[in-house]
């Protein structure tokens, strides 16, 4: 069997997605997600111009060799664009391997380690009262874990608090929207939110909160301490994470667990965080951290250091990435939680998939391969629309961190 064609499909069924479809000379094909929010066309060009021509004629069964070839062979290692492109190829090759073997991908990864993949949903609202209603909605649907975000009094808009309750899309305009941020207002408000949430929902519902990299380590330490009475499952992205040793400072001050990694593209971005046990959950994803092959490597390292997986799963990760994530989540020993946000109907129609939500769990498809596809004709009806993530400024106008 040989790789006959590598197609790169860009489509915008309510938001942009880039998908790789690897077709073999025997007609079997595989799909991989290559979406990098706000930078989609950079990855598409990387794949079309530089990767596709090097893959034709190769044996699609040699997943590890192709991974190493693309990673080491390019000379320029790592980085989100490169690693997303490699991820898409890797994911598509696992899909092909599953189809050839006649097995769902989780069987190739060692088989099932649990009954289902526990997911968390997103409760967002402007006010505390409104967010309580959102949380109830998730509890009624059977969710066992909920991420809670609210508007911050004194700030006009807050990242991650969408206007649409069901669907969430922070990338809105071609030229980024700008938000204003105040750490003082934020640190004052968040403990009040979780005090109310615990009062309403009791001690056992798993609660999470995303800080979106907005704090310094000492501010994050204060936040963690102030949230200790409400025993969150994690605070996410408390600080920008280029400086891995910065997490030591947070760790020294609080027992609130820490999750990080949605923007990481390789094991090198988190090796110190993991080996020094500075975090509790690693949130790297199939699509942005080098595919199933590399993410498995990260999770295996994490397993040695009591760090569990908590993969990012926002709607800019396509159903192809979600399908791949679920196979890995089901198989690894150190699974923690999987983020899950429902895609829109248009997205679901372009990416028919067999995974399903039931009783707080997602279950991967039992079909051979990943159990997800792309309807290319339908995809062609949704042309690309430029959209960027917002930029964040302090009240005095300074550009603030993500
Ligand atoms: O900012 O997916 O945990 N979820 C998040 C998301 C991310 C977007 C970036 O593309 O932080 O809102
Ligand atoms: Co996040």
């Amino acid at each position: 069997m040989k790789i006959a064609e590598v197609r790169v499909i860009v489509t915008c069924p309510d938001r942009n997605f880039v998908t790789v479809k690897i077709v073999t000379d025997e007609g079997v094909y595989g799909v991989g997600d290559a979406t990098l929010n706000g930078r989609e066309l950079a990855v598409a060009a990387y794949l079309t111009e530089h990767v596709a021509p090097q893959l034709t004629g190769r044996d699609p069964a040699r997943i590890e060799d192709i991974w190493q070839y693309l990673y080491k062979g390019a000379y320029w290692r790592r980085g989100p664009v490169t690693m997303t492109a490699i991820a898409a190829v890797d994911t598509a090759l696992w899909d092909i391997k599953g189809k050839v073997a006649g097995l769902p991908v989780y069987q190739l990864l060692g088989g099932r380690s649990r009954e289902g993949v526990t997911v968390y949903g997103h409760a967002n609202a402007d006010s505390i009262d409104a967010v309580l209603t959102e949380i109830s909605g998730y509890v009624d649907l059977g969710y066992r874990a909920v991420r809670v975000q609210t508007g911050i009094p004194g700030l006009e808009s807050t990242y991650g608090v969408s206007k649409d309750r069901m669907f969430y899309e922070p990338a809105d305009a071609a030229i980024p929207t700008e938000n204003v941020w105040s750490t003082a207002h934020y640190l004052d408000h968040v403990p009040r939110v979780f005090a109310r949430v615990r009062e309403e929902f009791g001690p056992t519902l798993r609660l999470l909160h995303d800080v979106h990299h907005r704090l310094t380590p000492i501010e994050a330490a204060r936040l963690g301490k102030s949230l200790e009475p409400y025993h969150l499952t994690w605070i996410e992205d408390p600080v920008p994470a280029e400086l891995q040793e910065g997490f030591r400072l947070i760790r020294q001050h609080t027992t609130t667990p820490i999750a990080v990694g949605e923007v990481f593209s390789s094991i090198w971005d988190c090796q110190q965080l993991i080996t020094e046990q500075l975090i509790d959950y690693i949130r790297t994803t199939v699509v942005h951290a080098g595919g199933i092959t590399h993410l498995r490597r990260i999770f295996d390292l994490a397993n040695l250091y009591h760090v569990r997986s908590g993969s990012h799963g926002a709607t800019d990760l396509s159903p192809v990435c979600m399908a791949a994530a679920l196979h890995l989540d089901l198989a690894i020993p150190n699974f923690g939680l999987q983020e899950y946000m429902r895609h829109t109907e248009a997205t679901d129609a372009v990416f028919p998939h067999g995974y399903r939500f039931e009783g707080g769990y997602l279950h991967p498809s039992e079909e051979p391969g990943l159990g997800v596809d792309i309807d290319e004709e339908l995809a062609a009806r949704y042309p690309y629309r430029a959209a960027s993530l917002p930029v964040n400024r302090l009240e005095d106008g300074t550009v603030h961190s993500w």
Side-chain angles (χ1 to χ4, degrees), residues 7-13 15 17 19 346-347 349-351 374-385:
R7 283 215 274 279
V8 180
I9 305 154
V10 181
T11 178
C12 187
R15 64 148 306 105
F17 294 107
T19 309
T347 298
V350 167
F351 298 99
I374 181 163
D375 179 336
E376 287 184 79
E377 262 174 50
L378 193 55
R381 285 193 229 154
Y382 299 105
Y384 170 79
R385 283 199 315 252

Side-chain angles (χ1 to χ4, degrees), residues 15-18 32-40 43 67 71 78-91 261-270 283-292 294-295 298 311-318 321-322 324-325 339 389:
R15 64 148 306 105
N16 294 314
F17 294 107
V18 181
D33 184 15
T35 310
L36 185 63
N37 203 359
R39 295 293 183 269
E40 293 86 359
V43 183
W67 197 97
Y71 181 80
R78 307 195 278 154
V81 174
T82 299
M83 295 304 280
T84 301
I86 295 176
V89 170
D90 182 81
T91 308
E262 65 181 53
V263 304
F264 294 172
S265 35
S266 81
I267 200 164
W268 303 106
D269 296 326
C270 48
R283 282 181 39 76
T284 36
T285 64
V286 171
V287 55
H288 299 139
I292 291 174
H294 193 67
L295 192 56
I298 294 174
S311 288
H312 183 51
T315 42
D316 49 296
L317 285 62
S318 89
C321 176
M322 182 53 74
E339 183 177 22
L389 286 163

Side-chain angles (χ1 to χ4, degrees), residues 8 56 181 222 234 248 343:
V8 180
T56 13
W181 173 258
R222 175 181 148 197
W234 77 47
R248 286 189 197 135
H343 287 104

Side-chain angles (χ1 to χ4, degrees), residues 127-253:
S127 70
I128 298 182
D129 284 330
V131 93
L132 297 177
T133 313
E134 292 302 307
I135 300 169
S136 302
Y138 282 102
V139 172
D140 293 346
L141 288 168
Y143 281 79
R144 297 150 195 267
V146 186
R147 186 187 97 158
V148 180
Q149 310 291 127
T150 69
I152 308 298
L155 294 183
E156 211 162 282
S157 59
T158 310
Y159 181 79
V161 178
S162 60
K163 281 154 210 100
D164 189 319
R165 289 280 159 267
M166 269 287 271
F167 302 108
Y168 170 97
E169 185 40 70
D172 49 6
I175 305 300
T177 308
E178 300 199 0
N179 291 328
V180 176
W181 173 258
S182 156
T183 297
H185 284 95
Y186 173 76
L187 287 178
D188 176 64
H189 187 63
V190 177
R192 298 176 202 276
V193 175
F194 283 94
R196 281 287 302 284
V197 174
R198 275 291 172 227
E199 220 176 272
E200 291 287 324
F201 293 94
T204 57
L205 179 64
R206 299 178 73 178
L207 299 173
L208 305 86
H209 177 69
D210 194 344
V211 188
H212 295 298
H213 312 105
R214 297 290 195 253
L215 303 176
T216 65
I218 203 69
E219 290 163 353
R222 175 181 148 197
L223 176 70
K225 276 178 108 160
S226 68
L227 292 175
E228 278 171 20
Y230 319 116
H231 42 265
L232 270 60
T233 294
W234 77 47
I235 50 170
E236 171 178 334
D237 294 342
V239 298
E242 291 96 328
L243 185 70
Q244 296 183 46
E245 68 188 47
F247 282 71
R248 286 189 197 135
L249 197 58
I250 312 176
R251 219 36 170 180
Q252 283 156 8
H253 290 284

